Amino acid sequence: MVGSVNKVILVGNLGKDPEVRNAQNGSKIVTFTLATSESWNDKASGERKEKTEWHRIVIFNDRIADVAERFLTKGRKVYIEGSLQTRKWTDQSGQDKYTTEIVIDRFRGELTLLDSGNRDGDQNSPRGQQDTGAARSATSGGWEPAAGDLDDEIPF
Amino acid sequence: MVGSVNKVILVGNLGKDPEVRNAQNGSKIVTFTLATSESWNDKASGERKEKTEWHRIVIFNDRIADVAERFLTKGRKVYIEGSLQTRKWTDQSGQDKYTTEIVIDRFRGELTLLDSGNRDGDQNSPRGQQDTGAARSATSGGWEPAAGDLDDEIPF
Amino acid sequence: MVGSVNKVILVGNLGKDPEVRNAQNGSKIVTFTLATSESWNDKASGERKEKTEWHRIVIFNDRIADVAERFLTKGRKVYIEGSLQTRKWTDQSGQDKYTTEIVIDRFRGELTLLDSGNRDGDQNSPRGQQDTGAARSATSGGWEPAAGDLDDEIPF
Amino acid sequence: MVGSVNKVILVGNLGKDPEVRNAQNGSKIVTFTLATSESWNDKASGERKEKTEWHRIVIFNDRIADVAERFLTKGRKVYIEGSLQTRKWTDQSGQDKYTTEIVIDRFRGELTLLDSGNRDGDQNSPRGQQDTGAARSATSGGWEPAAGDLDDEIPF
DNA sequence: TTTT
DNA sequence: TTTT
C-alpha cells in the first residue's frame, strides 16, 4: 500500500481514574475510557436529545503513560490522538469477542490536558497530589511539561 | 460537558465494493470496509512485519452515500472523515455483540477520492461504468464534483 | 485533482474578544486570534523555553458566527477546525502583503467551546451575559446547543 | 495554558521538486509547496469554479527530510501532517514580511506518500531513480519503509 | 508551481 | 477483503 493513515482525534472527559498495569517487558500500560457526547433537537418529538459515546484508550508509550498515570483523574478533559485498533479475544464461555480501542503507542499519538483538574471538593486525586494546573502535553515523539522538570515540579 | 470532539481520519483502500441498502425512511445507507496498514522492521527477528487494520465505514449522509455508491469500488483509495460509534446488537445465539464503526452522518464527515480508480484490466466496476477520473469530494455540508453536474457527467 | 484535503485543527485560547462585522450580503463575519503554545527544555542553555503561536480565525458560516459572537470572549479555550487560506492584500504604502487565515465557511469547519467561560472577577463579558456553561458546539453542517433552544437559554 | 493543539492535515500535490538545504548544525531542511484545490458550482453565474491553495511545507525532522528528498517529486500526491508557524523576516527593501508555514519538526509531523510516483513518460525524477512504489511513510516518532532497509532498497 |  |  502506498501509504495509509489511521488517526483518531478525541476531546472528552475520563469516565474513571485510569488503570495502570505492567507489561511483561516491564513497561507500563495505562487504560481508561473517555466520554464524548453530542446533543441535538429531535425534529419528530421536539425533545432535546443527548447521546454519549464511550471510547477505550490504551497507552503503550512510556512517556505518555507516565503523564497519564500522574495527571489523569476521573472527569478531567483531555485531547487524545491515537490509532484505531480492533483486538480479538475470547470470553470465559469461549465466544469470540472484538474490541476496538484507540491506541497511543511508541510512534504515534498524543495526550494533552485541557483543564486544570482542580475542582472544589475533589478529594480523590490519586496519591493525593494537587495538580499545579501547568500546561502539560505529551507526544509519541517527546513530551513537554509547561514549567520546570516534571520531577522537580510535582511533589510525589 | 462543555463540548467534545469525536473525529476519525483514515486514508486506505476499500476491501470490496460497497454495499447499498435502503433505510426505512427511504434514504440510502452505504457501508464498506477500509484497510489501513503499517509496516516496520521487527528488532527481535530482523524481519519485515506488516499489519493491516480493517475499518467498517457507514454512510448515512445522502449526498456522500450517493458519491460512494457511484464511484467507490474495491481497491480504491479514499480519505474518510467520520465519527466513532459503537453499536450493540444480538447475534443469532442471543449473545450481545458490539461493533465499532466510523460513521458519516448528516452533519459530520467527508469522503474524498484519492486515486482515479482506473486500472489496467479492471473490468469489474459496478454497472460497467468507466470512472472519468474527475475530482470528486463530498462533505456533510455540501459536495463538489470536479467538473459539470454529476448527472450530466456520469453515463448511468 | 482527484481530491485534496485542507484541514487545520487547533485548541487554544482567544487573545481578545472577537470582532464582528457585516458582509455586503448582510451576513456576519466574525474574526479573532487564537493562541497555541508549546514549551520545552532547551538542551543547550538548560532553560525552560516557551513559544506562543498566534492564529487568525475567520468565520463566514452564519450559525458558527452566531455562536462565536454570543459565547466567545477573551481567554476562552476553544476547539477550532477550518481550512488554510492565504489572502493577498495591499497596505497603505502600496506593498503587497499576504495573510494566512484559518477559515470556517459554509461547508467546512467547526467550533467547540472547551471551558465554561466563567472566571472569578471576569466582568468584561460582551453585553454582560453570564455564560451558562452548557455544552455548545457548532459545525458547518448544523449546530448543537447542549440544552434547550439557544434563544430560550440565553438571556439577551 | 493547560495544553493546546496546533495541527494541520493536508492531502495535495507537489508544485515542484523539493528544495534541500543544510542547516548550520549539519542537518537537512527540505521545503516544497503543496497544492490543495476545491471546486464548486457558482450559483450566480452557473459556472464551474475552482480555487487552488498553495501551502509552504518545511521539514526539519531528519528522517522525514530524508524520505522527502528521496521520494518526493513534482506532482506527487502526499499526506502531510504538521504545525502552523508564522515567521517574520525582512525583505531587501527593509519591509517586514510574515510567512506562514506548515512545519514538520523533531517531535511532530508525518509524511505519507499516496501515489506511486510512476507516470508514463515521467522522465524527470531526481537523479534518474525509479521509484519502487513500495509503501513509504514517516512520522516524527519513527519511520516505516515498506520493505527492506531503505539503503538496501533504493539504488542510489 | 500541482492535480483532474 | 485492500494496497505495495
Side-chain angles (χ1 to χ4, degrees):
Chain A
M1 180 176 297
V2 191
S4 59
V5 175
N6 175 357
K7 184 173 294 288
V8 181
I9 288 173
L10 301 173
V11 174
N13 298 78
L14 271 82
K16 292 184 182 174
D17 287 346
E19 294 179 11
V20 182
R21 61 184 211 273
N22 294 300
Q24 294 156 326
N25 64 2
S27 68
K28 262 177 216 159
I29 300 172
V30 176
T31 58
F32 56 89
T33 52
L34 195 73
T36 58
S37 59
E38 53 180 331
S39 54
W40 68 97
N41 290 313
D42 186 54
K43 294 278 173 60
S45 68
E47 287 173 345
R48 189 74 200 166
K49 301 269 192 172
E50 179 159 6
K51 189 178 157 204
T52 295
E53 193 69 34
W54 287 97
H55 310 273
R56 185 174 156 80
I57 316 293
V58 185
I59 305 176
F60 293 104
N61 177 284
D62 284 338
R63 279 183 297 201
I64 301 182
D66 195 52
V67 172
E69 184 186 19
R70 292 183 187 211
F71 298 111
L72 293 190
T73 52
K74 176 180 174 177
R76 282 203 79 166
K77 186 184 285 294
V78 290
Y79 169 93
I80 289 282
E81 195 180 313
S83 306
L84 278 177
Q85 212 162 99
T86 298
R87 193 168 44 81
K88 188 184 182 178
W89 52 286
T90 310
D91 73 3
Q92 60 274 51
S93 71
Q95 290 276 329
D96 285 348
K97 299 276 188 180
Y98 295 85
T99 298
T100 299
E101 297 165 323
I102 292 90
V103 172
I104 298 178
D105 60 21
R106 190 182 157 203
F107 293 121
R108 287 180 301 170
E110 286 183 43
L111 185 158
T112 301
L113 308 183
L114 295 181
D115 63 12
S116 68
N118 293 323
R119 302 187 188 193
D120 297 334
D122 183 4
Q123 244 70 46
N124 59 356
S125 305
R127 311 196 200 183
Q129 87 268 24
Q130 278 294 104
D131 183 355
T132 64
R136 290 180 184 85
S137 186
T139 74
S140 286
W143 94 282
E144 316 155 350
D149 262 2
L150 191 59
D151 294 331
D152 295 337
E153 181 190 0
I154 306 301
F156 60 95
Chain B
M1 180 177 297
V2 192
S4 58
V5 175
N6 175 357
K7 185 173 292 289
V8 180
I9 288 172
L10 301 173
V11 174
N13 298 77
L14 272 81
K16 292 185 182 174
D17 288 346
E19 294 180 10
V20 182
R21 62 184 212 274
N22 293 300
Q24 294 156 325
N25 64 1
S27 68
K28 263 177 214 158
I29 299 171
V30 176
T31 58
F32 56 89
T33 52
L34 195 73
T36 58
S37 60
E38 52 179 332
S39 54
W40 68 98
N41 290 313
D42 186 55
K43 293 278 174 57
S45 67
E47 288 172 345
R48 189 74 199 166
K49 300 271 192 171
E50 178 160 7
K51 189 178 158 205
T52 294
E53 193 69 34
W54 288 97
H55 311 273
R56 185 173 158 79
I57 315 292
V58 185
I59 305 175
F60 293 104
N61 177 285
D62 284 337
R63 280 184 296 203
I64 301 182
D66 195 52
V67 172
E69 184 186 18
R70 292 181 186 214
F71 299 111
L72 292 190
T73 52
K74 176 179 174 177
R76 282 202 80 166
K77 184 183 288 293
V78 290
Y79 170 93
I80 289 282
E81 194 180 314
S83 306
L84 278 177
Q85 211 162 101
T86 298
R87 193 167 45 81
K88 188 184 182 178
W89 53 285
T90 310
D91 73 2
Q92 60 272 51
S93 71
Q95 292 275 329
D96 284 347
K97 300 276 188 180
Y98 295 85
T99 299
T100 298
E101 298 165 321
I102 292 91
V103 172
I104 298 179
D105 60 21
R106 189 181 157 203
F107 294 121
R108 288 180 299 172
E110 285 184 42
L111 185 158
T112 300
L113 308 183
L114 295 180
D115 63 11
S116 67
N118 294 322
R119 301 188 193 190
D120 299 335
D122 184 3
Q123 244 71 45
N124 60 357
S125 304
R127 312 196 201 183
Q129 86 268 24
Q130 277 295 103
D131 182 355
T132 64
R136 288 177 186 88
S137 187
T139 75
S140 287
W143 93 281
E144 316 154 351
D149 261 1
L150 192 59
D151 294 331
D152 295 338
E153 182 188 359
I154 305 301
F156 60 93
Chain C
M1 182 176 296
V2 191
S4 58
V5 175
N6 174 358
K7 184 173 292 289
V8 180
I9 288 173
L10 301 174
V11 174
N13 298 77
L14 272 81
K16 293 184 182 175
D17 289 344
E19 294 181 10
V20 182
R21 61 183 212 274
N22 293 300
Q24 292 157 326
N25 64 1
S27 68
K28 262 176 216 160
I29 300 171
V30 176
T31 58
F32 55 90
T33 53
L34 195 74
T36 59
S37 60
E38 54 180 329
S39 53
W40 69 97
N41 290 314
D42 186 56
K43 293 279 175 56
S45 68
E47 288 173 345
R48 189 74 199 166
K49 300 269 193 172
E50 178 158 6
K51 188 178 158 202
T52 295
E53 193 70 33
W54 287 97
H55 310 273
R56 184 174 157 81
I57 315 292
V58 185
I59 304 176
F60 293 105
N61 177 285
D62 284 339
R63 279 185 295 203
I64 301 181
D66 194 51
V67 172
E69 184 185 18
R70 291 183 187 214
F71 298 111
L72 293 190
T73 52
K74 176 179 174 176
R76 282 203 81 165
K77 184 184 285 295
V78 291
Y79 170 93
I80 289 281
E81 194 180 315
S83 306
L84 279 177
Q85 213 163 98
T86 298
R87 193 166 46 79
K88 187 183 182 178
W89 52 286
T90 310
D91 74 3
Q92 58 274 50
S93 71
Q95 289 277 329
D96 284 347
K97 300 277 188 179
Y98 295 85
T99 298
T100 298
E101 298 166 321
I102 291 91
V103 172
I104 298 179
D105 60 21
R106 190 182 157 202
F107 293 121
R108 288 180 300 172
E110 285 184 43
L111 185 157
T112 301
L113 308 183
L114 296 180
D115 63 13
S116 68
N118 294 322
R119 302 190 188 191
D120 298 333
D122 184 3
Q123 244 71 46
N124 58 357
S125 304
R127 309 196 201 185
Q129 88 267 25
Q130 277 295 103
D131 183 355
T132 65
R136 290 178 184 87
S137 187
T139 73
S140 287
W143 93 282
E144 315 155 349
D149 262 0
L150 192 60
D151 294 330
D152 296 336
E153 183 189 356
I154 305 300
F156 60 93
Chain D
M1 180 177 299
V2 192
S4 59
V5 175
N6 175 358
K7 185 173 291 290
V8 180
I9 288 173
L10 301 173
V11 174
N13 298 77
L14 272 81
K16 294 183 181 175
D17 288 347
E19 295 180 11
V20 183
R21 61 183 211 274
N22 292 301
Q24 292 155 327
N25 64 1
S27 67
K28 262 178 216 160
I29 299 171
V30 175
T31 57
F32 56 89
T33 53
L34 195 74
T36 57
S37 60
E38 53 180 331
S39 53
W40 69 96
N41 289 314
D42 185 55
K43 293 279 174 57
S45 68
E47 287 173 345
R48 191 72 198 165
K49 301 270 192 171
E50 178 159 5
K51 188 179 157 200
T52 294
E53 193 69 34
W54 287 97
H55 310 273
R56 184 173 158 81
I57 316 293
V58 184
I59 305 175
F60 294 104
N61 177 285
D62 284 339
R63 280 184 295 202
I64 301 181
D66 196 51
V67 173
E69 184 185 19
R70 291 182 188 215
F71 298 111
L72 292 190
T73 52
K74 176 179 174 176
R76 282 202 81 167
K77 185 184 286 296
V78 291
Y79 170 94
I80 290 281
E81 195 180 314
S83 306
L84 278 177
Q85 212 164 99
T86 298
R87 193 167 45 80
K88 187 184 182 178
W89 53 285
T90 309
D91 73 3
Q92 58 274 54
S93 70
Q95 290 276 329
D96 284 348
K97 300 276 188 179
Y98 295 84
T99 299
T100 298
E101 298 166 322
I102 291 91
V103 172
I104 298 178
D105 60 21
R106 191 182 157 202
F107 294 120
R108 289 180 299 172
E110 286 184 41
L111 185 158
T112 301
L113 307 182
L114 296 180
D115 63 12
S116 66
N118 293 322
R119 302 189 191 190
D120 299 334
D122 184 4
Q123 243 71 46
N124 58 357
S125 304
R127 310 197 201 184
Q129 89 268 24
Q130 278 296 102
D131 182 355
T132 64
R136 288 177 185 90
S137 186
T139 75
S140 287
W143 93 282
E144 314 155 350
D149 262 1
L150 193 58
D151 293 331
D152 296 336
E153 182 189 359
I154 306 299
F156 60 93

